[in-house]
Amino acid sequence: MTDDPFRDTDLVELYDLDNPAGPDHAHYRALADETGARSIVDLGCGTGLLTRSLTGPGRTVTGIDPSRTMLDHARRQPGSDAVTWILGDASVLEPTATVDLAICTGNAIMQIAPADLPATLRSLAGALRPGGTLGFETRDPAFREWEHWTTGVTERDTPVGRLREWMEVTEVRDGRVVFDAHNVFPDGTDRVYTNTLYFRTAEEFRAELEAAGFTDVTWAGDWQGGAGAGRLLVFRATRG
C-alpha cells in the first residue's frame, strides 16, 4: 500500500461519498462483536469511516494507513479522538500478541504486492493474540472485473466542482492489474492517478495465511457468509 493515488486532498474529500458505509461495514462491526474484541487494528484504514464506528467503551481501536492525506482527513472527523492513528504499513505493528481482531477492508489487501504480502501477514500474526481473528476481503479473480473497467466518460457534480471521470486499464499480467483513473476538474486539469491491484485466488490466500501462522482459514462469497457466486472473497482466519 502506498500514498499514491490517495494523496490528492480534493479526491480524498470525496472518498467517503463514493464509498459510504454499507454491508461491508456491518460485517466487520458484527465480527468485532462476535469475537468480543477489546483491541482492534484496522490496517489500511483510509479515511477511517469504518474505524471510527468500531470504537466503544472498553475497546481500543488503532487505524493504520500509508497515506498521510487520508489520515489527516480521518483525524478531522467526529469521533476521531477515540482512535489511535498511525502513519505506515503493517511493518509498524509491534509483535505484542495482544490484539483481538485485525481487519483490512475496502479491498486494501489487493494493493499489497506479492513480495510484500508474506511480511504483511506475519506482522499481523505477530500483533494478534493466539486465537485472535483476522478479517479481510478481496475481489474474486474468477470474475475478471478489470475487463469492464475501461469505460466511457461520466460526469457528476461534487463538492469540489463538476468532474469528468473515466478509467483505463493499461496492463494485466499474472494477477496484476494496472489502471489509470482520470479526474478532469472544472479548470480542465486532468489529474491522472495510476492504481495497481493484485488479484489472488482463495487457495493462494489460504496458502499465504497458513505460511504466516494462521489456521481455520475460511472464506465466503458475500457479506452474509454465503458460498454463492459473489464477486468478493470474504476471509476469516485465526492466529494459531
Side-chain angles (χ1 to χ4, degrees):
M1 291 180 286
T2 67
D3 196 23
D4 192 6
F6 305 113
R7 54 183 167 81
D8 188 305
T9 55
D10 290 326
L11 295 178
V12 166
E13 289 291 330
L14 301 179
Y15 189 86
D16 289 345
L17 294 176
D18 294 339
N19 300 275
D24 53 341
H25 288 204
H27 167 83
Y28 289 111
R29 284 193 294 267
L31 182 60
D33 292 341
E34 176 194 338
T35 58
R38 311 306 290 173
S39 175
I40 300 174
V41 167
D42 185 358
L43 179 64
C45 64
T47 59
L49 183 62
L50 169 61
T51 323
R52 298 190 304 276
S53 75
L54 292 168
T55 61
R59 178 182 282 177
T60 62
V61 179
T62 301
I64 302 172
D65 201 275
S67 169
R68 186 180 301 276
T69 308
M70 280 197 150
L71 283 186
D72 286 346
H73 178 91
R75 291 187 177 104
R76 295 193 298 269
Q77 306 312 305
S80 63
D81 290 346
V83 179
T84 298
W85 306 100
I86 300 176
L87 178 68
D89 55 23
S91 65
V92 304
L93 286 167
E94 297 290 338
T96 58
T98 58
V99 174
D100 297 314
L101 172 65
I103 59 175
C104 189
T105 70
N107 294 313
I109 206 163
M110 297 182 69
Q111 299 175 40
I112 302 174
D116 299 325
L117 183 61
T120 297
L121 295 177
R122 288 195 300 270
S123 292
L124 287 165
L128 284 164
R129 64 168 175 78
T133 301
L134 170 64
F136 65 91
E137 89 281 351
T138 183
R139 297 176 189 267
D140 189 341
F143 285 89
R144 303 177 65 86
E145 287 192 61
W146 59 85
E147 294 181 349
H148 307 286
W149 288 354
T150 299
T151 59
V153 178
T154 61
E155 295 192 27
R156 60 175 175 146
D157 291 316
T158 74
V160 297
R162 188 165 182 80
L163 291 182
R164 296 174 60 241
E165 302 164 302
W166 69 94
M167 293 166 53
E168 180 182 3
V169 175
T170 59
E171 180 185 345
V172 179
R173 181 183 302 175
D174 299 328
R176 179 176 182 266
V177 177
V178 183
F179 64 95
D180 290 336
H182 293 260
N183 308 270
V184 182
F185 281 72
D187 64 0
T189 303
D190 184 5
R191 304 183 195 176
V192 184
Y193 292 102
T194 299
N195 302 258
T196 302
L197 297 178
Y198 299 91
F199 285 76
R200 302 172 176 97
T201 67
E203 290 299 335
E204 287 172 331
F205 262 118
R206 192 222 300 264
E208 294 280 8
L209 287 161
E210 291 178 347
F214 288 94
T215 62
D216 301 323
V217 179
T218 61
W219 59 88
D222 57 40
W223 295 114
Q224 290 73 42
R231 295 182 180 276
L232 289 176
L233 297 171
V234 183
F235 278 86
R236 178 172 176 172
T238 301
R239 171 66 173 96

